[in-house]
Amino acid sequence: MSDSDSTLSPEPQRTIKIIFISDYLCAFCYIGNKSLKDAIAGCRDLDVRFDVEFRPFTLLCPSSAPEVPKAKGEKVPNRREYLVRKFGKEQAESKWKVVEELAQKAGLPLAEDGIVARSTLAHRLAVKAYKVGGQAMQGHLNDILFDAIFAGCQDVSDVEFLADAAEKIGLMNKAEATTFLQDTDCKNCVNQMIEAARASGVNGVPSIIIDGKWALNGVQSTECYLQILRKIAQSSSMTECASIVSVAS
C-alpha cells in the first residue's frame, strides 16, 4: 500500500431511506412504528444508517377538508362508536381484537377506547419537526403522539396538547407552536404529500417505501421488518432484494 492509499478517507456510510406513510389515528401505524424502530435497532451491526421519514395520510377525512375548530362543548366521537358505525359491531370487535393482540406482542400499552379526531394539525407539526430536526425530532414527536392517542385517549386535534408536544421535543416553545398550529404553515406541504400518496396508489396505511424501490403495505412484525432491512442492507443484488420484499409483504 502506498502512502497516498493510506490517507484515503473511508467510504461514506450507505444511507437507506425509509418513507413511512401513516395516520396518527391508525392503530396499525402505532404498532408499525414500534416494530420498525425495533427492527432498525436490530441492524446496528450493519454498516448502514437508516433515515426514516414519516409522511401524512388521512383516514378520517379528505386532505382538502376545511379545518373548523370544534365548537365549545361539542361531543368528540370515541373510537369504539366510530368503528361500530363504520364496520358494524361484530366486525369492529374482531378488528380491534387483532389490534390488541398485535399491540401486546409489540409490548405497547393500549387503552380500551379513545378519541377519534382529525389528524391534520398533528401531521403539520410532524412535517415541521422533520424539516427542523430530521428523523430524531420527528421520531420523538411520533412516540409522544402515538402513546397519547392510543394509551392516553388524547385528542390529536387539540391545539394545547400539540403545542405541549412541540415544546417537549424542542421544536418551538408553546406560544410559537400555538401560533403555528392556528396558521397555515406546512398545510400545503401536508396536502401535497397526501395527494401524492393517493396518486401513487396508497389507499390504506401503514405504507412503507424502502430506498425508493420496495414497498410494504400493512403492519408487519419486527421480525419481518428486520429480515427485509438486513437483506436489503447486505445484498448487492437488486433482484434478490426485490423478491424478498414482495414475498414478505
Side-chain angles (χ1 to χ4, degrees):
M1 178 183 291
S2 67
D3 291 340
S4 60
D5 289 337
S6 64
T7 59
L8 290 175
S9 299
E11 291 186 8
Q13 189 178 41
R14 179 186 171 196
T15 297
I16 295 177
K17 176 77 174 185
I18 299 175
I19 295 174
F20 194 116
I21 302 171
S22 70
D23 190 359
Y24 290 110
L25 293 182
C26 172
F28 293 123
C29 295
Y30 170 49
I31 296 163
N33 173 53
K34 174 66 161 51
S35 298
L36 180 62
K37 284 175 61 178
D38 289 348
I40 289 174
C43 294
R44 286 176 181 161
D45 60 308
L46 302 178
D47 190 27
V48 296
R49 66 178 293 272
F50 297 94
D51 179 22
V52 182
E53 178 186 357
F54 275 68
R55 292 190 184 175
F57 196 81
T58 49
L59 295 171
L60 193 59
C61 64
S63 62
S64 59
E67 291 181 27
V68 181
K70 296 185 292 294
K72 188 175 182 179
E74 180 182 348
K75 185 179 183 295
V76 180
N78 65 47
R79 186 183 300 119
R80 190 183 300 270
E81 291 174 348
Y82 172 76
L83 292 175
V84 169
R85 189 164 62 245
K86 183 175 182 179
F87 299 110
K89 188 173 185 296
E90 185 175 344
Q91 192 175 359
E93 290 177 351
S94 176
K95 286 179 177 292
W96 195 248
K97 184 177 180 180
V98 172
V99 170
E100 289 176 330
E101 291 172 352
L102 290 174
Q104 184 178 26
K105 184 177 181 181
L108 288 170
L110 186 68
E112 290 186 6
D113 208 349
I115 294 172
V116 175
R118 289 187 299 159
S119 52
T120 310
L121 295 180
H123 285 313
R124 285 177 50 211
L125 200 61
V127 167
K128 184 70 171 180
Y130 187 81
K131 286 182 177 181
V132 172
Q135 65 175 333
M137 182 175 284
Q138 190 187 56
H140 189 190
L141 177 66
N142 287 340
D143 290 344
I144 291 172
L145 298 186
F146 276 129
D147 182 71
I149 293 162
F150 288 101
C153 303
Q154 177 64 54
D155 180 353
V156 72
S157 68
D158 184 77
V159 171
E160 184 174 359
F161 158 62
L162 293 173
D164 280 336
E167 189 168 59
K168 285 178 182 176
I169 65 172
L171 176 59
M172 56 187 90
N173 65 40
K174 190 171 179 179
E176 291 170 335
T178 300
T179 299
F180 168 84
L181 292 164
Q182 292 174 340
D183 201 355
T184 58
D185 191 10
C186 291
K187 183 177 180 180
N188 286 339
C189 185
V190 166
N191 289 343
Q192 288 167 6
M193 286 180 172
I194 293 171
E195 288 164 6
R198 293 189 188 280
S200 68
V202 175
N203 53 25
V205 286
S207 182
I208 299 175
I209 302 165
I210 305 173
D211 238 13
K213 303 179 183 73
W214 307 288
L216 282 167
N217 297 314
V219 66
Q220 309 290 336
S221 67
T222 295
E223 293 75 17
C224 179
Y225 285 135
L226 183 60
Q227 178 190 21
I228 291 167
L229 294 180
R230 292 188 69 88
K231 286 292 185 180
I232 290 174
Q234 294 173 325
S235 177
S236 59
S237 168
M238 297 292 188
T239 303
E240 180 184 351
C241 291
S243 65
I244 289 166
V245 173
S246 176
V247 170
S249 62

